[in-house]
Amino acid sequence: MSKLFYTHIIEIHTLTEKLDELDLTDNHKKHLSELIDSTIHQTVLDVILSSLSEKDKKLFIQKMHQNPEDRELMSFLKERVVDIEEQIKISFK
């Protein structure tokens, strides 16, 4: 998984470890890993964008586009959305 601003919230290492245990080709493992990353990213963005005002959505997207690894993105979200980290966690339960 890429190091994005939300990776401290979502732990997928056990999932990737399980992938390594499966009898799959490296290409299949890579493909599944990419699908996992994409699904997680889309889910997180859905939670975030559903919680922000239109103005804040635009600001967030601009900031994320400039630097998706920036931990300040989470600070930006925490100032605007109550319990955003918890909302993200809940979306994966």
Side-chain angles (χ1 to χ4, degrees):
M1 181 172 192
S2 308
K3 288 288 184 189
L4 299 171
F5 69 95
Y6 55 79
T7 55
H8 67 284
I9 299 171
I10 302 164
E11 294 184 30
I12 66 159
H13 66 279
T14 54
L15 186 56
T16 54
E17 287 172 3
K18 293 293 183 188
L19 274 179
D20 288 337
E21 294 173 9
L22 297 175
D23 186 25
L24 299 171
T25 65
D26 287 342
N27 284 341
H28 282 108
K29 287 178 188 178
K30 181 180 180 207
H31 179 70
L32 286 172
S33 181
E34 289 169 354
L35 285 173
I36 291 167
D37 274 356
S38 178
T39 302
I40 288 171
H41 188 69
Q42 297 305 316
T43 302
V44 169
L45 288 181
D46 182 53
V47 170
I48 290 168
L49 295 175
S50 296
S51 303
L52 291 172
S53 70
E54 291 301 314
K55 177 184 170 188
D56 288 338
K57 284 178 191 179
K58 290 176 185 176
L59 285 170
F60 172 76
I61 290 169
Q62 288 172 347
K63 289 176 180 287
M64 189 180 73
H65 181 69
Q66 290 171 354
N67 186 1
E69 298 177 3
D70 186 1
R71 295 279 181 176
E72 291 301 312
L73 282 167
M74 191 54 70
S75 297
F76 172 87
L77 292 169
K78 286 179 177 181
E79 291 172 3
R80 288 158 177 80
V81 181
V82 176
D83 295 327
I84 188 62
E85 288 183 335
E86 190 61 29
Q87 289 183 46
I88 292 169
K89 288 177 190 176
I90 288 170
S91 69
F92 289 97
K93 290 186 178 182

